[in-house]
Amino acid sequence: MYGFYATTKYLINVFYRPIYKKVEFTVLALKRDPNELAMEKSSLVVKISNQEDLNKITDKNKIPNDIDLEKFKVILDRSELLYLLIHGGYVCGYAVTQVNGLYRFGYDCEMVVSRMHVMFKNLYVSVNFRKKSFGNFLNISRVLDVKGNQIPLVFVTKDNRYAIKNWSKINFEEVATIKQKIYFSRKKINHIIFNKNIKDYPSLKSLLDEIR
């Protein structure tokens, strides 16, 4: 009987998927000035801001098969900051910080990154180098590079509790939930639910209200 219900649920989801989709994002913000945090940068992490510096790294270190070097070039072309973790002659992982421009997420959603905020995104550790805290090293390096008057933000899909837990370990807290509904792969409806602590981030509330 259980198999029947599971199969029926699966078929219903397959049928309705082209018509209706729903995705939720948890918005996290750093709740303290980075200069006040008892954290240290890892010597394994290198910040890259231009193609020349990237070439120096990739000439000396191997790129695992699951990391796309061309993606790095695209990131730098967008004037975003690229963080690489180097260990044992390999580029083991990377992360990105966006400091301006349009931040895109979900289904065709956009948000303007203001001078008061920075976006952390695209954290990835190569499969063969996981369970070594490399992702945490990349996150801490990004946090410590943020200017004191800026608020670092992260958008995480709500069901990714592992990522949310890791961010909370380095003083990030949940401040809002963005619910997105898509009908017929076109129409989107965004609904933002603010947590009570949003009062501590007045500039952030204004920023999220402008999502389109």
Side-chain angles (χ1 to χ4, degrees), residues 15-107:
F15 177 77
Y16 280 105
R17 195 174 296 143
I19 301 173
Y20 171 77
K21 297 178 184 178
K22 181 175 72 172
V23 61
E24 295 186 17
F25 294 91
T26 297
V27 182
L28 299 103
L30 183 67
K31 57 184 176 182
R32 294 177 59 190
D33 186 323
N35 295 320
E36 298 176 5
L37 301 178
M39 297 188 295
E40 294 183 4
K41 286 185 181 180
S42 169
S43 60
L44 302 178
V45 178
V46 179
K47 180 170 71 173
I48 306 294
S49 59
N50 58 68
Q51 189 63 49
E52 183 180 354
D53 289 345
L54 176 62
N55 292 339
K56 292 178 182 178
I57 294 296
T58 55
D59 286 345
K60 297 178 181 179
N61 299 277
K62 297 178 181 178
I63 308 295
N65 292 333
D66 58 337
I67 291 182
D68 184 4
L69 180 59
E70 292 302 315
K71 185 173 184 178
F72 294 166
K73 297 176 182 178
V74 173
I75 290 168
L76 295 175
D77 285 343
R78 293 197 297 250
S79 298
E80 297 174 349
L81 299 175
L82 175 65
Y83 291 78
L84 302 180
L85 191 142
I86 313 300
H87 176 68
Y90 282 87
V91 175
C92 303
Y94 66 91
V96 179
T97 296
Q98 182 176 343
V99 297
N100 54 41
L102 286 176
Y103 172 68
R104 294 180 170 86
F105 68 97
Y107 184 84

Side-chain angles (χ1 to χ4, degrees), residues 25-201:
F25 294 91
T26 297
V27 182
L28 299 103
L30 183 67
K31 57 184 176 182
R32 294 177 59 190
D33 186 323
N35 295 320
E36 298 176 5
L37 301 178
M39 297 188 295
E40 294 183 4
K41 286 185 181 180
S42 169
S43 60
L44 302 178
V45 178
V46 179
K47 180 170 71 173
I48 306 294
S49 59
N50 58 68
Q51 189 63 49
E52 183 180 354
D53 289 345
L54 176 62
N55 292 339
K56 292 178 182 178
I57 294 296
T58 55
D59 286 345
K60 297 178 181 179
N61 299 277
K62 297 178 181 178
I63 308 295
N65 292 333
D66 58 337
I67 291 182
D68 184 4
L69 180 59
E70 292 302 315
K71 185 173 184 178
F72 294 166
K73 297 176 182 178
V74 173
I75 290 168
L76 295 175
D77 285 343
R78 293 197 297 250
S79 298
E80 297 174 349
L81 299 175
L82 175 65
Y83 291 78
L84 302 180
L85 191 142
I86 313 300
H87 176 68
Y90 282 87
V91 175
C92 303
Y94 66 91
V96 179
T97 296
Q98 182 176 343
V99 297
N100 54 41
L102 286 176
Y103 172 68
R104 294 180 170 86
F105 68 97
Y107 184 84
D108 200 28
C109 277
E110 295 179 340
M111 182 185 76
V112 177
V113 181
S114 74
R115 289 180 298 176
M116 291 293 296
H117 308 89
V118 295
M119 296 298 308
F120 290 167
K121 60 184 189 179
N122 298 121
L123 174 66
Y124 183 79
V125 176
S126 180
V127 174
N128 293 329
F129 297 97
R130 293 177 183 175
K131 297 184 179 180
K132 299 178 184 292
S133 297
F134 286 170
N136 195 47
F137 293 164
L138 286 161
N139 286 338
I140 289 174
S141 292
R142 289 190 288 177
V143 167
L144 294 178
D145 271 349
V146 173
K147 297 178 181 178
N149 62 340
Q150 292 180 310
I151 301 174
L153 304 175
V154 187
F155 284 24
V156 181
T157 52
K158 196 169 183 65
D159 58 352
N160 191 350
R161 302 309 302 177
Y162 178 78
I164 293 172
K165 181 180 179 180
N166 283 341
W167 283 112
S168 67
K169 289 179 179 178
I170 54 173
N171 288 285
F172 278 74
E173 61 179 346
E174 300 179 34
V175 294
T177 299
I178 301 173
K179 296 186 176 183
Q180 187 179 40
K181 298 178 181 179
I182 304 101
Y183 296 94
F184 298 101
S185 300
R186 291 185 180 180
K187 184 178 180 180
K188 66 176 186 291
I189 298 174
N190 297 321
H191 178 53
I192 303 177
I193 301 173
F194 294 105
N195 296 1
K196 291 182 179 179
N197 57 354
I198 195 66
K199 67 180 185 299
D200 299 326
Y201 306 88

